[in-house]
């Protein structure tokens, strides 16, 4: 019903910046809470940030002050602006859409993208 495609990942050095995008199709973006998750090698998928349909946001403590989630409903696109990247930010980043207000758990989301790789290495 809804398709999500992430883009913008790549290889960067510590301290660098990167912006990820998530393009939605099949359904309008506006009614959904939109979240970003990431999964490092050998670890569980973890919550990164969420943007509610009403404009509210929430972030994992580890990325607060460094990452900014935003959305452009007219373009059906979600963004994640990342600055001051660290080695521990490395992983596959996924965007997701859900019906709750500010969901932070994977099971609260209904649609998922296939992910985009972010590697922070020196």
């Amino acid at each position: 019903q809804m398709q999500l495609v992430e883009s913008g990942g790549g290889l960067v050095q510590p301290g660098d910046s990167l912006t990820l995008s998530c393009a939605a199709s099949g359904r309008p973006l506006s009614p959904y809470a939109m979240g970003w998750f990431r999964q490092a090698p050998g670890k569980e998928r973890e919550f990164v940030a969420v943007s509610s349909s009403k404009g509210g946001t929430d972030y994992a403590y580890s990325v607060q002050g460094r990452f900014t989630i935003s959305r452009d409903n007219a373009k059906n696109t979600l963004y994640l602006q990342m600055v001051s990247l660290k080695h521990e930010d490395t992983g596959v980043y996924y965007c997701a859409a859900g019906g709750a207000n500010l969901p932070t758990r994977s099971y609260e989301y209904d649609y998922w993208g296939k992910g985009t790789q972010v590697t922070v290495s020196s």
Side-chain angles (χ1 to χ4, degrees):
Q1 187 175 48
M2 187 177 194
Q3 296 81 46
L4 301 172
V5 180
E6 304 94 337
S7 62
L11 174 64
V12 297
Q13 296 183 1
D16 282 357
S17 300
L18 201 61
T19 297
L20 306 182
S21 298
C22 174
S25 61
R27 292 279 187 179
L29 192 68
S30 55
Y32 295 93
M34 299 295 299
W36 286 99
F37 288 75
R38 67 188 181 190
Q39 186 169 205
K43 299 182 67 177
E44 295 289 311
R45 184 175 299 185
E46 66 174 352
F47 166 76
V48 175
V50 59
S51 169
S52 80
S53 62
K54 300 177 182 179
T57 60
D58 194 17
Y59 299 88
Y61 182 80
S62 61
V63 307
Q64 283 190 41
R66 299 189 300 118
F67 291 12
T68 301
I69 188 170
S70 62
R71 63 201 293 158
D72 187 334
N73 290 335
K75 295 182 178 180
N76 279 168
T77 304
L78 177 75
Y79 303 97
L80 183 67
Q81 297 171 286
M82 306 182 291
V83 300
S84 301
L85 284 162
K86 306 173 180 179
H87 286 116
E88 50 264 45
D89 293 318
T90 292
V92 177
Y93 282 68
Y94 302 88
C95 67
N101 185 33
L102 285 172
T104 60
R105 302 294 301 276
S106 295
Y107 65 77
E108 296 180 281
Y109 289 85
D110 302 307
Y111 304 100
W112 292 83
K114 295 181 179 179
T116 185
Q117 176 72 223
V118 173
T119 303
V120 185
S121 178
S122 59

